[in-house]
């Protein structure tokens, strides 16, 4: 297998490639621009030489006299040598050369004398007999301004190229320095990035990202991560479902995600502790928050969310069934004793006494159920209260339904009504279980007008005046923890259900517990 490239080698390679490409393009652009500037500068230099020759008094005098002693060629050659020009050509008005580096051309006519004798200055590139050159032309005039001829000076392109190439070492030095700086910077950058990534290479980071995505979205627990500034950095699909954050955006703060409440306090760490139980509108969550430190640095926190809604409901149902089973077991012993009494009475021949005893037992057991059924029309609610009365009796607690209780309308949600009454009664049973006698609970149910009123009072210690509002907060309890059952959820669950149904629930301060719930009654459908 091919060995993967390290982060430092990749950075170094890419930086060098970028530098080489940019330096190459820069070098080409520099040589082109410099060459153009040098051509223009050399053309101006050639024109300046031509103008100085045209202003030479000796040349003007000799040319005006027809140059009988060939003085023009000598003076022009001296200027050419002194200024390192390729040629200095002086022509008269007829276009005849009076000077030229090639003596054979002296006395010959120019190929195009009209452009040279128009009385104007010219610059450009001349493709002459000596090769391409930067050329400058200047008119040669007498003292009175009469046009005597023209002077043409050329500087070969090879001279310009030598000047350009003389600057290459400096450019090469600059390029080498830039490459050296790029190498040093790339190595420094690679080292810093490697320290920031805890020594992991690119392949390792890609693998970690894939594993993280697979883990986050593959587990059945909600996972939420926050950076050191409290901004959301990670959230998986299960957390979005449990927190009902379908469109949560990475980078937002917790204050923007959730409203003020216990859930936000637990996620932020304000309400600290392990296995914090939080009740939302839809779920019962077990929340754990852990700070995260890597390399001695605080990198934020991770919160895990577990959905315990169904499990908690099953545990509570199991707890209720267990209590009912214990009550039935105790009643079984009581009924066995009663049957034993009947058996002895019959065996003794006391048939009338036996019949009287049996009638008394039948009247007592069925009378209470019939009376409760007459007061409470919903059969499920009546059965629930009868079961709670049996459980209370087994725990030596007197649970009674007030004589003025009347309930025919189960409200908009009969199942919610069962949950509300059941939780309030269970809470009262726990409250008076350890209280001294008399241990009594009274339940009053009314459906007057459009309101269903549920009152549950007990002779327990009650709720302190300062805690009448906090008592409905999930997790708040004054009872000792019991294995298998989470405290501080019953009243919070009741409060959530009542609020969702549009009702209210209030708690009166102690001594004695007193909870009053008002629910809107279901409106009957009028059929025509």
């Amino acid at each position: 297998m091919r060995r993967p490239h390290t982060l430092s080698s990749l950075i170094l390679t890419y930086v060098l490639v970028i530098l080489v490409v940019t330096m190459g393009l820069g070098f080409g652009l520099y040589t082109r621009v410099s060459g153009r500037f040098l051509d223009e500068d050399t053309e101006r230099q050639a024109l300046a030489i031509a103008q100085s020759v045209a202003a030479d008094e000796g040349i003007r005098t000799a040319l005006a006299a027809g140059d009988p002693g060939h003085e023009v060629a000598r003076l022009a050659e001296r200027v050419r040598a002194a200024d390192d020009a390729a040629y200095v050509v002086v022509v008269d008005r007829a276009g005849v050369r009076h000077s030229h580096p090639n003596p054979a051309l002296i006395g010959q006519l120019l190929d195009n004398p009209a452009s040279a004798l128009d009385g104007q200055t010219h610059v450009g590139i001349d493709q002459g007999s000596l090769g391409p050159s930067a050329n400058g032309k200047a008119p040669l005039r007498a003292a009175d301004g009469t046009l005597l001829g023209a002077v043409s000076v050329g500087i070969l392109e090879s001279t310009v190229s030598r000047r350009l190439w003389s600057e290459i070492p400096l450019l090469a030095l600059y390029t080498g320095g830039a490459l050296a700086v790029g190498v040093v910077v790339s190595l420094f950058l690679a080292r810093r990035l490697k320290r920031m990534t805890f020594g992991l290479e690119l392949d390792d980071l890609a693998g970690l990202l894939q594993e993280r995505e697979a883990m986050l979205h593959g587990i059945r627990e909600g996972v939420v991560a926050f950076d050191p500034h409290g901004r959301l950095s990670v959230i998986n699909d299960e957390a979005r479902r449990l927190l009902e954050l379908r469109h949560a955006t990475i980078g937002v703060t917790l204050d923007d995600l959730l409203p003020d409440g216990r859930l936000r306090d637990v996620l932020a760490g304000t309400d600290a502790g392990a296995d914090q139980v939080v009740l939302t509108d839809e779920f019962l969550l077990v929340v754990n928050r852990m700070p995260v430190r890597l390399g001695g640095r605080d990198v934020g926190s991770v919160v895990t969310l577990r959905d315990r809604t169904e499990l908690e409901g099953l545990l509570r149902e199991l707890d209720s069934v267990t209590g009912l089973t214990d009550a039935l077991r105790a009643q079984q012993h009581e009924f066995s004793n009663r049957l034993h009494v009947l058996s002895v009475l019959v065996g003794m021949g006391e048939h009338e006494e036996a019949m009287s005893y049996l009638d008394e037992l039948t009247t007592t057991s069925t009378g209470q159920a019939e009376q409760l059924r007459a007061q409470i029309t919903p059969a499920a609610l009546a059965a629930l209260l009868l079961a709670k009365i049996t459980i209370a009796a087994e725990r030596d607690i007197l649970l009674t339904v007030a004589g003025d209780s009347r309930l025919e309308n189960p409200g908009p949600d009969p199942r919610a009504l069962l949950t509300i009454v059941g939780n309030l009664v269970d809470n009262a049973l726990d409250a008076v279980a350890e209280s001294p006698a008399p241990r009594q609970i009274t339940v009053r149910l009314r459906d007057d007008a459009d309101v269903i009123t549920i009152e549950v009072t007990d002779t327990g210690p009650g709720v302190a005046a300062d805690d009448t509002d906090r008592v409905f907060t999930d997790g708040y309890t004054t009872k000792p923890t019991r294995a298998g059952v989470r405290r501080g959820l019953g009243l919070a669950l009741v409060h959530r259900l009542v609020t969702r149904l549009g009702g209210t629930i209030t708690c009166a301060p102690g001594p004695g517990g007193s909870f009053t719930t008002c629910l809107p009654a279901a409106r009957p459908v009028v059929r025509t």
Side-chain angles (χ1 to χ4, degrees), residues 285-483:
L285 305 178
V286 178
V287 183
N288 282 283
R289 182 183 184 274
M290 293 293 294
V292 180
R293 297 184 66 85
L294 291 177
R297 294 184 290 118
D298 180 17
V299 296
S301 59
V302 175
V303 179
T304 58
L305 308 166
R306 284 178 289 164
D307 184 8
R308 296 292 296 270
T309 307
E310 295 183 3
L311 180 59
E312 193 68 28
L314 292 175
L315 288 175
R316 288 182 172 274
E317 289 182 10
L318 179 61
D319 183 65
S320 299
V321 171
T322 301
L324 183 59
T325 302
D326 293 338
L328 292 176
R329 187 181 294 111
Q331 288 186 353
Q332 178 185 3
H333 292 290
E334 184 179 353
F335 288 145
S336 296
N337 293 333
R338 292 174 178 177
L339 289 176
H340 181 70
V341 170
L342 285 174
S343 175
V344 172
L345 289 174
V346 172
M348 294 174 59
E350 300 290 340
H351 299 289
E352 293 183 2
E353 185 68 20
M355 289 297 297
S356 176
Y357 182 67
L358 182 61
D359 289 340
E360 180 182 352
L361 292 178
T362 303
T363 301
T364 302
S365 60
T366 59
Q368 187 178 34
E370 291 179 355
Q371 181 182 357
L372 187 62
R373 190 71 177 85
Q375 292 177 285
I376 309 300
T377 300
L381 183 57
L384 174 67
L385 290 173
L386 188 60
K388 296 297 182 183
I389 290 174
T390 303
I391 295 174
E394 173 60 22
R395 299 173 64 176
D396 196 22
I397 299 173
L398 178 61
L399 174 60
T400 59
V401 177
D404 59 347
S405 293
R406 291 291 184 275
L407 182 65
E408 298 181 358
N409 182 8
D413 190 346
R415 295 183 59 185
L417 186 63
L418 291 176
T419 301
I420 293 171
V421 174
N423 277 280
L424 289 177
V425 171
D426 289 341
N427 186 70
L429 288 172
D430 291 338
V432 301
E434 305 298 331
S435 300
R439 295 187 292 179
Q440 300 177 357
I441 300 173
T442 302
V443 179
R444 179 175 284 101
L445 303 171
R446 302 288 298 180
D447 56 353
D448 301 328
D450 294 333
V451 178
I452 298 176
T453 304
I454 305 169
E455 296 181 7
V456 178
T457 59
D458 60 68
T459 58
V463 179
D466 296 338
D467 295 335
T468 54
D469 293 329
R470 294 179 56 202
V471 73
F472 299 111
T473 303
D474 52 312
Y476 176 81
T477 182
T478 58
K479 304 171 187 175
T481 302
R482 184 152 54 97

Side-chain angles (χ1 to χ4, degrees), residues 100-366:
H100 196 280
N102 186 0
L105 296 178
I106 296 176
Q108 301 294 323
L109 288 173
L110 289 176
D111 295 334
N112 186 14
S115 61
L117 298 174
D118 59 359
Q120 304 294 326
T121 59
H122 298 278
V123 293
I125 301 300
D126 182 27
Q127 302 293 332
S129 59
L130 299 178
S133 61
N135 180 261
K137 295 182 177 68
L140 195 155
R141 298 179 183 274
D144 59 358
T146 303
L147 182 63
L148 299 176
V151 179
S152 177
V153 176
I155 300 176
L156 292 177
E157 282 292 320
S158 58
T159 303
V160 179
S161 298
R162 284 196 303 270
R163 291 174 58 186
L164 178 61
W165 282 103
S166 66
E167 299 180 8
I168 294 301
L170 180 61
L171 182 61
L173 180 62
Y174 168 78
T175 304
L179 289 175
V181 171
V183 171
V184 173
V185 171
S186 64
L187 293 176
F188 173 77
L189 179 61
R191 183 177 179 182
R192 180 174 178 82
L193 289 177
K194 200 163 186 178
R195 186 167 62 250
M196 294 175 64
T197 58
F198 304 98
L200 298 177
E201 298 294 345
L202 295 179
D203 292 339
D204 299 330
L205 293 176
L208 284 177
L209 179 60
Q210 294 175 352
E211 293 172 4
R212 191 197 75 163
E213 291 299 315
M215 179 190 68
L216 284 178
H217 300 290
I219 60 177
R220 293 297 300 168
E221 284 193 356
V223 178
V224 184
F226 299 95
D227 65 14
H229 303 289
R231 294 188 296 261
L232 180 66
S233 57
V234 174
I235 182 169
N236 67 347
D237 295 338
E238 183 67 6
R240 292 179 184 273
R241 183 182 73 87
L242 296 177
L243 297 177
E244 299 181 84
L245 300 175
R246 303 299 181 186
H247 304 290
T249 304
I250 300 299
V252 300
T253 62
L254 190 58
D255 294 342
D256 298 328
L257 287 176
L258 299 171
D260 187 19
R262 187 165 182 271
L263 178 59
R264 194 171 80 179
D265 294 339
V266 172
L267 293 181
T270 305
D271 191 350
D275 291 338
Q276 291 281 353
V277 179
V278 180
L279 189 65
T280 67
D281 289 341
E282 298 293 337
F283 306 102
L284 187 146
L285 305 178
V286 178
V287 183
N288 282 283
R289 182 183 184 274
M290 293 293 294
V292 180
R293 297 184 66 85
L294 291 177
R297 294 184 290 118
D298 180 17
V299 296
S301 59
V302 175
V303 179
T304 58
L305 308 166
R306 284 178 289 164
D307 184 8
R308 296 292 296 270
T309 307
E310 295 183 3
L311 180 59
E312 193 68 28
L314 292 175
L315 288 175
R316 288 182 172 274
E317 289 182 10
L318 179 61
D319 183 65
S320 299
V321 171
T322 301
L324 183 59
T325 302
D326 293 338
L328 292 176
R329 187 181 294 111
Q331 288 186 353
Q332 178 185 3
H333 292 290
E334 184 179 353
F335 288 145
S336 296
N337 293 333
R338 292 174 178 177
L339 289 176
H340 181 70
V341 170
L342 285 174
S343 175
V344 172
L345 289 174
V346 172
M348 294 174 59
E350 300 290 340
H351 299 289
E352 293 183 2
E353 185 68 20
M355 289 297 297
S356 176
Y357 182 67
L358 182 61
D359 289 340
E360 180 182 352
L361 292 178
T362 303
T363 301
T364 302
S365 60
T366 59

Side-chain angles (χ1 to χ4, degrees), residues 37-91:
F37 286 160
L38 284 175
D39 286 341
E40 294 175 355
D41 185 63
T42 305
E43 290 172 359
R44 289 193 296 269
Q45 181 183 357
L47 178 60
I49 296 173
Q51 289 174 333
S52 66
V53 171
D56 187 276
E57 188 63 31
I59 292 179
R60 288 194 297 178
T61 302
L63 189 62
D67 192 22
H70 303 289
E71 186 68 18
V72 174
R74 184 181 63 81
L75 294 175
E77 182 62 21
R78 186 175 63 185
V79 173
R80 186 194 68 78
D83 292 330
D84 196 23
Y87 59 84
V88 177
V89 178
V90 181
V91 297

